[in-house]
């Protein structure tokens, strides 16, 4: 097994700088595999919260295709730019919120879209809390549609020196249980940009009686 990477999750301030001065090529409309999952499991006019919406490309795409959309991100700069890039006539609500660390003032949604957020959470205790956050914003019986970097095996999870934290299917399944039931998993490139990676595309249903919360990370 490879040596675990010494990764730390980025802070809101670091993401602000990334969106202000960086080139977030991952911020794009849904790829064809993700669009097919949405059409199959959550067709419009479903109400969707786009968690970690960034500059809002996916949120705008959803609204253009008939969805009712709320985009949220804990980067204030991302939300500012998302609002500026969104035509006034497009029905998207953008709000700054950290789903892991604040009460769920956002409410609950029948569909939660999360693309590339979980794989920015590198450590298991924090990952568990992220899954619990998804359960808090997802209605019982609702769907969490997840796209995140994958690894072929548990041993390969630490084999890549750069990029997002990767999870094998075995690790992912253990993480989401007992909060969610997995309905479908497929694998496809994360995005259309050149520096993409293989990603898990999963549809999960929130259980009506999820398990107890994890202890807070030390």
């Amino acid at each position: 097994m490879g040596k675990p990477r010494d990764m730390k999750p980025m802070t809101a301030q670091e993401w602000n700088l990334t969106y202000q001065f960086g080139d977030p090529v991952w911020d794009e409309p849904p790829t064809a595999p993700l669009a097919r999952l949405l059409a199959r499991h959550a067709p419009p006019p479903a109400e969707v919260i786009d968690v970690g919406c960034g500059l809002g490309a996916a949120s705008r795409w959803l609204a253009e295709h008939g969805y009712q959309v709320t985009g949220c991100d804990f980067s204030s700069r991302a939300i500012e730019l998302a609002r500026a890039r969104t035509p006034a006539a497009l029905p998207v609500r953008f709000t700054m919120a950290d789903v892991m660390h604040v009460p769920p003032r956002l409410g609950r949604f029948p569909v939660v879209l999360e693309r590339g957020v979980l794989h920015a959470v590198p450590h298991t205790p924090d990952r568990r809390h992220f899954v619990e956050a998804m359960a808090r914003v997802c209605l019982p019986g609702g769907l969490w549609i997840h796209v995140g970097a994958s690894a072929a095996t548990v041993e390969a999870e630490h084999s890549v020196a750069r990029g997002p934290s990767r999870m094998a299917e075995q690790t992912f399944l253990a993480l989401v249980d007992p909060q969610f039931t997995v309905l479908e998993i497929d694998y496809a490139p994360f995005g259309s940009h050149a520096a993409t990676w293989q990603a898990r595309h999963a549809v999960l249903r929130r259980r009506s009686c999820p398990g107890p919360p994890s202890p807070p990370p030390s």
Side-chain angles (χ1 to χ4, degrees):
M1 183 180 295
K3 182 180 178 181
R5 293 162 58 188
D6 184 18
M7 292 181 65
K8 293 189 294 185
M10 288 173 61
T11 65
Q13 291 75 19
E14 289 170 329
W15 280 112
N16 285 342
L17 293 173
T18 296
Y19 285 114
Q20 179 69 35
F21 302 110
D23 180 22
V25 294
W26 63 86
D27 198 290
E28 61 182 353
T31 58
L34 177 54
R36 286 193 292 268
L37 280 185
L38 285 162
R40 185 158 58 246
H41 292 276
E47 185 180 7
V48 182
I49 182 167
D50 181 10
V51 173
C53 66
L55 303 179
S59 295
R60 286 188 290 276
W61 182 95
L62 289 165
E64 289 164 355
H65 286 76
Y67 290 88
Q68 305 172 63
V69 190
T70 297
C72 76
D73 203 292
F74 78 160
S75 164
S76 59
R77 186 56 180 154
I79 293 298
E80 289 173 5
L81 292 170
R83 288 171 175 162
R85 296 182 181 201
T86 301
L90 202 60
V92 183
R93 178 172 72 100
F94 289 108
T95 185
M96 190 181 73
D98 182 347
V99 295
M100 287 182 69
H101 295 110
V102 298
R105 61 181 175 82
L106 295 165
R108 288 183 166 182
F109 294 80
V111 182
V112 178
L113 173 62
E114 171 268 318
R115 178 179 177 271
V117 183
L118 178 57
H119 73 204
V121 182
H123 303 300
T124 299
D126 293 329
R127 287 173 172 174
R128 292 195 185 106
H129 281 272
F130 183 82
V131 171
E132 289 162 6
M134 296 298 92
R136 286 195 298 272
V137 298
C138 187
L139 284 168
L143 299 179
W144 170 20
I145 299 178
H146 155 83
V147 181
S150 63
T153 65
V154 173
E155 290 74 18
E157 290 180 343
H158 307 295
S159 63
V160 180
R162 301 184 64 185
S165 62
R166 289 158 166 78
M167 274 190 285
E169 185 169 319
Q170 175 184 341
T171 304
F172 178 75
L173 294 176
L175 181 70
V176 300
D177 184 71
Q179 308 287 345
F180 290 90
T181 299
V182 177
L183 302 182
E184 181 177 349
I185 294 183
D186 200 359
Y187 294 88
F190 180 80
S192 61
H193 53 282
T196 194
W197 46 82
Q198 197 72 358
R200 176 181 47 258
H201 291 61
V203 180
L204 307 96
R205 186 176 302 282
R206 186 187 182 276
R207 292 178 175 168
S208 299
C209 297
S214 302
S218 56

